[in-house]
Amino acid sequence: MNHNPLNKQGKSVKQRVFSGIQPTGNIHIGNYLAAIRRWADLQSDYENIFCVVDLHAITIPQDPQTLKVKNREVAALLFAAGIDPKLSSVFIQSHISAHSELAWILNCFIPIGWLRRMTQFKEKSKKQDEVITMGLFDYPALMAADILLYATDLVPVGDDQKQHVELTRDVAQRFNSMYGETFKLPESITPDIGGRIMGLSDPSKKMSKSDTKSENSIFLLDSPDVIRSKVMRATTDSMREIRFDKNRPSINNLLTIYELFSRKGRVEIEAQFEGKGYAYFKNALADEIVENLRPLQVRYYQLMDDFSYIDGLLKDGSLKVEPIAVKTLDEVKEKIGLG
Ligand code: ATP
Ligand code: LTN
């Protein structure tokens, strides 16, 4: 897939990709398959900016020491998963203050009704035991700021974030219609397959970092034994055939995970497991996941031996992208009469 337009000389101009991930909980294979691996796969076709969104993380209470370490761990995971610092800038959101500043300004252009409609807010505020803060409610304004600061063309995300990118377009359009062309309108890109990987023990719910039941998710750093045991215990139905079927959520989800990790086609997969039982399939699935995650895990632990190296990469990332953010913010402030 390459959406890059041509410039006047007929040369392809790289479009800009921006996406983010929260430094919370444990990164799972849903995050990997729908977001991180796609970012890595796409990176040579685009100009890429990836952000560890710690300001989004604090919309839910976080332990300060853990959050600081998590920022580096998640960055290390991105590099371990193949994000190449030569092709992609990676940085920590709170290191560039323009994000908070533009989020505040956008707040003043977002009707409350738009935020009330956000499915993620409705779901997260239902499960939370703590007080629901303005920050959680306002999460999409900060996400809009992240995207709009960099004149982003494309936002690769899982299905659950599509609605937030729509809101980003809406606020950009509203601002542009009031003050003239300022923001580029971004488009989300979601995977055709696996945009919403479901839980292993409860396939009616999406696999989620904040899920307290760890058997529902396979984490990128789970050991081979843990992966195997989670796959073997995954819910299945009472039917026998191993076939892709939306009406059979548990087996459909496991087959989708197999499809994405093995990169094989559906016909080939169904033929491979024809007449075989669930145990046989689950063993093959566990092997596929373990073998795919092995190199990532090796690289991750090597990188984590040297925190200063990760910090250096993150600093380079911020230095490279901050001028883009500052330029957008200055233009916005000028247009609305600030300063
Ligand atoms: P939390 O449960 O804490 O909200 P999360 O698992 O949704 O966390 P994020 O950091 O919010 O993780 O998301 C990072 C990326 O992973 C986003 O692009 C999001 O759409 C994608 N993603 C999250 N969960 C899934 C899933 N179950 N299937 C596919 N993509 C997912
Ligand atoms: N809300 C996103 C994380 C995120 C993001 C972004 C994704 C924050 N800012 C900008 C794409 C673009 C999530 O995954 N929950």
Side-chain angles (χ1 to χ4, degrees):
M1 173 184 20
N2 189 336
H3 303 76
N4 291 329
L6 303 180
N7 69 8
K8 282 189 195 138
Q9 288 76 40
K11 272 179 77 180
S12 165
V13 184
K14 284 192 173 175
Q15 287 191 297
R16 188 172 288 148
V17 158
F18 182 100
S19 200
I21 184 158
Q22 300 189 70
T24 49
N26 289 313
I27 309 284
H28 52 74
I29 57 171
N31 303 131
Y32 177 68
L33 294 170
I36 303 171
R37 189 177 78 167
R38 300 186 77 226
W39 303 348
D41 285 350
L42 290 173
Q43 67 189 327
S44 43
D45 288 340
Y46 298 102
E47 185 195 327
N48 315 280
I49 306 177
F50 301 117
C51 182
V52 181
V53 295
D54 55 350
L55 295 169
H56 278 106
I58 62 163
T59 56
I60 284 180
Q62 304 292 338
D63 170 64
Q65 278 318 313
T66 314
L67 181 60
K68 228 178 170 150
V69 173
K70 263 268 138 67
N71 268 338
R72 273 75 189 175
E73 286 178 356
V74 170
L77 263 180
L78 298 187
F79 295 122
I83 302 290
D84 177 351
K86 288 196 215 75
L87 298 171
S88 304
S89 305
V90 179
F91 72 101
I92 309 281
Q93 189 183 32
S94 65
H95 292 184
I96 299 186
S97 60
H99 289 250
S100 312
E101 229 181 307
L102 183 63
W104 175 257
I105 295 172
L106 294 179
N107 267 324
C108 303
F109 293 87
I110 300 178
I112 282 187
W114 292 4
L115 294 174
R116 283 213 187 97
R117 284 200 287 274
M118 293 295 113
T119 318
Q120 181 175 295
F121 173 72
K122 289 191 227 162
E123 278 166 11
K124 288 204 171 177
S125 52
K126 247 191 275 160
K127 351 188 226 210
Q128 213 174 327
D129 310 329
E130 318 265 343
V131 177
I132 295 152
T133 63
M134 275 306 296
L136 187 66
F137 186 55
D138 201 29
Y139 182 111
L142 179 59
M143 181 160 159
D146 297 341
I147 296 169
L148 297 177
L149 276 175
Y150 299 96
T152 302
D153 295 290
L154 301 167
V155 188
V157 281
D159 288 353
D160 63 329
Q161 296 302 312
K162 242 176 141 162
Q163 199 184 23
H164 290 160
V165 181
E166 282 307 308
L167 184 139
T168 303
R169 287 173 65 90
D170 291 343
V171 67
Q173 255 164 335
R174 191 183 173 96
F175 191 97
N176 288 351
S177 68
M178 292 168 79
Y179 295 98
E181 212 50 35
T182 311
F183 294 123
K184 191 174 247 186
L185 301 189
E187 264 175 55
S188 59
I189 39 176
T190 49
D192 296 335
I193 298 163
R196 190 176 168 83
I197 300 290
M198 308 309 279
L200 296 187
S201 50
D202 180 359
S204 68
K205 282 198 341 211
K206 88 167 181 100
M207 198 175 274
S208 161
K209 286 201 235 114
S210 47
D211 197 327
T212 44
K213 282 198 251 112
S214 78
E215 69 272 19
N216 226 10
S217 311
I218 293 179
F219 303 121
L220 295 193
L221 298 175
D222 277 347
S223 69
D225 286 350
V226 170
I227 294 174
R228 214 165 278 288
S229 123
K230 285 180 178 174
V231 171
M232 297 319 278
R233 281 183 295 141
T235 308
T236 41
D237 53 32
S238 56
M239 289 152 103
R240 281 165 161 235
E241 285 147 287
I242 298 178
R243 265 201 293 110
F244 288 90
D245 181 350
K246 283 209 180 86
N247 299 319
R248 295 170 60 197
S250 51
I251 188 68
N252 203 60
N253 188 43
L254 296 179
L255 276 168
T256 303
I257 296 171
Y258 185 84
E259 179 183 13
L260 289 166
F261 274 115
S262 69
R263 300 194 196 246
K264 290 181 188 162
R266 292 195 167 189
V267 175
E268 188 186 345
I269 294 171
E270 287 184 342
Q272 182 183 347
F273 296 112
E274 180 154 17
K276 303 280 198 294
Y278 281 143
Y280 180 92
F281 165 63
K282 283 179 162 180
N283 262 310
L285 174 59
D287 288 345
E288 201 61 65
I289 301 174
V290 167
E291 289 317 316
N292 270 273
L293 296 186
R294 195 188 297 281
L296 180 154
Q297 296 185 350
V298 170
R299 278 197 297 272
Y300 173 79
Y301 290 112
Q302 283 166 350
L303 283 165
M304 287 302 286
D305 266 351
D306 189 357
F307 248 44
S308 62
Y309 177 66
I310 304 286
D311 278 342
L313 293 178
L314 291 170
K315 184 129 201 253
D316 292 346
S318 305
L319 286 174
K320 198 154 164 216
V321 303
E322 190 167 20
I324 311 172
V326 169
K327 183 166 170 276
T328 308
L329 181 63
D330 285 349
E331 185 185 340
V332 169
K333 285 163 93 173
E334 179 64 30
K335 284 194 167 155
I336 59 178
L338 296 178

